[in-house]
């Protein structure tokens, strides 16, 4: 079979390619660097480089130290820390998730918060385990209708919870959905006191979930671990295993609960 040369892939939007080129150029210098030097290293005309850098400064990807000199901005660090936390959570959780799935024979989900939704970033399941509820990786769900979403709402300030209710209108999916603020606040109070959360067919009829939180070394809630199952198959004895598994993952991330 004759092998054809495959051309190197490039971005289809030229300005993105130029922006990345400038960021790469800035990454080569430990100290602030001049527009003239950046133009030379990136191969861009000074006026083009200046225009793109101005936009990067406005979005905090680049800092302007003084007129004509630049360095990488703090927003890159913020985004990098977000990616790092999610990747490390996934890596820390996977073996524990597989063990919990083996014990329950139900789908184990790992989710994180993204704005007003949760996003499923990993799962443990087996096609040989019979009837299961399988959430797609990358799938999303509203905070107030999902067990993991309730965990994240429960650590918000009351003002933030009210703002969430205003933004989303607490839209429901079915007759079991929580659609008013007073009921949501009562539910979140239960989540705080219990240390875990439930979805009792609020997102999808016939499906129940239970979730426990995963915290990092600073004590911040970074993910939720949940079991999803057909409503008539979810077993209460799984709750202790779920909470213990979430605690083990948190410990792996360096979390140490405060002594009583």
């Amino acid at each position: 079979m004759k092998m054809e040369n495959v051309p190197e892939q490039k971005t289809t939007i030229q300005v993105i390619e130029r922006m990345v080129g400038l960021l790469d150029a800035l990454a080569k210098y430990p100290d602030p660097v001049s527009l003239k030097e950046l133009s030379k290293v990136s191969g861009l005309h000074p006026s083009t480089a200046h225009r793109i850098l101005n936009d990067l400064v406005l979005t905090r990807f680049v800092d302007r130290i003084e007129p004509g000199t630049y360095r990488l901005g703090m927003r890159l660090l913020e985004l990098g820390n977000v990616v790092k936390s999610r990747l490390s959570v996934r890596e820390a959780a996977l073996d524990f998730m597989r063990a919990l799935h083996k014990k329950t024979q139900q789908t184990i989900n790992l989710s994180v918060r993204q704005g007003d939704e949760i996003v499923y970033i990993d799962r443990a399941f087996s096609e040989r385990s019979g009837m299961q509820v399988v959430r797609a990786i990358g799938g999303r769900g509203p905070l107030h209708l999902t067990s993991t979403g309730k965990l994240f709402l429960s650590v918000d300030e009351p003002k933030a919870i009210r703002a969430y209710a205003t933004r989303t209108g607490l839209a429901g999916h079915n007759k079991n959905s929580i659609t008013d603020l007073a009921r949501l606040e009562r539910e979140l109070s239960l989540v705080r006191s219990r240390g875990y959360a439930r979805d009792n067919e609020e997102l999808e009829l016939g499906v129940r979930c239970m979730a426990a939180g995963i915290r990092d070394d600073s004590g911040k809630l970074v993910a939720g671990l949940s079991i999803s199952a057909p409503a008539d198959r979810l077993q209460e004895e799984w709750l202790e295993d779920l909470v213990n598994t979430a605690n083990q993952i948190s410990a792996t991330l360096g979390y140490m609960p405060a002594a009583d």
Side-chain angles (χ1 to χ4, degrees), residues 30-134:
D31 299 315
V33 58
S34 68
L35 173 63
K36 180 179 179 180
E37 183 68 13
L38 288 172
S39 174
K40 177 182 176 181
V41 173
S42 66
L44 296 176
H45 190 277
S47 63
T48 301
H50 184 259
R51 184 172 64 251
I52 296 173
L53 285 166
N54 278 344
D55 287 342
L56 290 171
V57 168
L58 289 174
T59 53
R60 295 175 50 241
F61 285 102
V62 169
D63 292 334
R64 183 185 287 113
I65 306 307
E66 57 185 41
T69 61
Y70 304 86
R71 69 180 179 192
L72 292 178
M74 291 299 294
R75 190 171 184 191
L76 290 168
L77 178 62
E78 293 166 3
L79 293 175
N81 283 335
V82 170
V83 173
K84 178 184 176 183
S85 69
R86 292 175 184 173
L87 289 175
S88 61
V89 167
R90 181 184 284 130
E91 292 165 359
L94 191 53
D95 287 343
F96 293 106
M97 291 170 65
R98 288 170 176 162
L100 186 58
H101 164 69
K102 186 176 181 180
K103 188 167 188 176
T104 64
Q105 295 299 297
Q106 298 300 322
T107 302
I108 311 302
N109 307 294
L110 184 67
S111 313
V112 297
R113 181 176 185 170
Q114 193 170 88
D116 290 339
E117 298 176 307
I118 61 160
V119 180
Y120 299 96
I121 63 171
D122 217 335
R123 66 190 179 196
F125 79 108
S126 170
E127 294 179 357
R128 299 186 299 275
S129 295
M131 187 178 294
Q132 299 171 95
V133 177
V134 181

Side-chain angles (χ1 to χ4, degrees), residues 181-233:
L181 179 58
R183 183 181 167 197
L184 177 62
E185 289 174 331
R186 289 194 297 272
E187 178 78 2
L188 297 180
S189 179
L190 286 175
V191 172
R192 294 185 198 101
S193 63
R194 291 170 173 169
Y196 61 87
R198 297 178 183 273
D199 159 18
N200 287 312
E201 301 185 69
E202 296 155 46
L203 180 67
E204 182 180 349
L205 289 175
V207 176
R208 294 170 61 206
C209 303
M210 52 178 67
I214 297 171
R215 296 179 179 272
D216 65 10
D217 58 343
S218 69
K220 179 182 177 182
L221 181 67
V222 293
L225 187 72
S226 64
I227 301 176
S228 300
D232 60 350
R233 290 173 179 255

Side-chain angles (χ1 to χ4, degrees), residues 119-190:
V119 180
Y120 299 96
I121 63 171
D122 217 335
R123 66 190 179 196
F125 79 108
S126 170
E127 294 179 357
R128 299 186 299 275
S129 295
M131 187 178 294
Q132 299 171 95
V133 177
V134 181
R135 303 297 188 191
I137 294 176
R140 295 170 178 267
L143 296 179
H144 66 291
L145 300 183
T146 56
S147 54
T148 292
K150 292 175 187 177
L151 290 174
F152 280 103
L153 280 176
S154 74
V155 299
D156 278 354
E157 296 293 331
K159 182 178 179 181
I161 295 170
R162 291 193 294 270
Y164 168 83
T166 300
R167 283 194 307 273
T168 63
L170 296 181
H173 284 207
N174 60 60
K175 64 181 182 179
N176 295 325
S177 298
I178 295 176
T179 56
D180 69 86
L181 179 58
R183 183 181 167 197
L184 177 62
E185 289 174 331
R186 289 194 297 272
E187 178 78 2
L188 297 180
S189 179
L190 286 175

